[in-house]
Amino acid sequence: KSGEWLAALEVLSDSAISRVRLGEAVFNAAIDACQKTGEWPHALGVLGEMHRQQVGPNTITYSAAIGACAAGGGWQQVSYLWSEMRQRSVAPSNTTYAAVIDAYGRGPMWEH
């Protein structure tokens, strides 16, 4: 299972070399693969690539990225993602709220 996120990122890399324009579902799947193993820096890298390719992240994108941060100890990034999501007028879902609360519950911010 731990290699699945790496395989997903290799597929993204291959598509860039081939100059294939990917949609949000493909990026979301890659971020979800990173979430499952807590590879939050890679999940954020995929999110950055979405921005570079002008593919608009959606609720699923942000929920998975926030979940990856929670799973991998990157709770510090959650505030940034939450803010970006709101600035882009992407509506949070129950999953998003749960991921944010989970991330904050894992980090020292909860103590404040």
Side-chain angles (χ1 to χ4, degrees):
K1 251 208 184 258
S2 63
E4 291 175 8
W5 66 271
L6 189 54
L9 296 183
E10 287 177 5
V11 170
L12 284 181
S13 178
D14 289 346
S15 70
I17 293 168
S18 305
R19 301 202 193 291
V20 174
R21 179 147 167 79
L22 301 176
E24 64 188 24
V26 176
F27 286 105
N28 289 348
I31 293 172
D32 185 61
C34 294
Q35 175 186 4
K36 290 177 181 171
T37 56
E39 294 292 333
W40 67 268
H42 296 289
L44 297 183
V46 173
L47 181 61
E49 186 59 28
M50 287 182 81
H51 294 315
R52 282 187 286 285
Q53 292 192 26
Q54 298 179 341
V55 176
N58 60 20
T59 303
I60 295 168
T61 310
Y62 283 106
S63 296
I66 290 168
C69 291
W75 58 267
Q76 305 94 329
Q77 304 302 317
V78 173
S79 292
Y80 169 78
L81 291 171
W82 181 254
S83 176
E84 180 180 298
M85 182 179 185
R86 304 301 279 188
Q87 287 174 351
R88 292 177 175 269
S89 299
V90 176
S93 67
N94 286 338
T95 302
T96 314
Y97 285 113
V100 169
I101 291 167
D102 180 44
Y104 286 156
R106 293 174 188 243
M109 290 181 81
W110 190 254
E111 297 170 6
H112 293 286

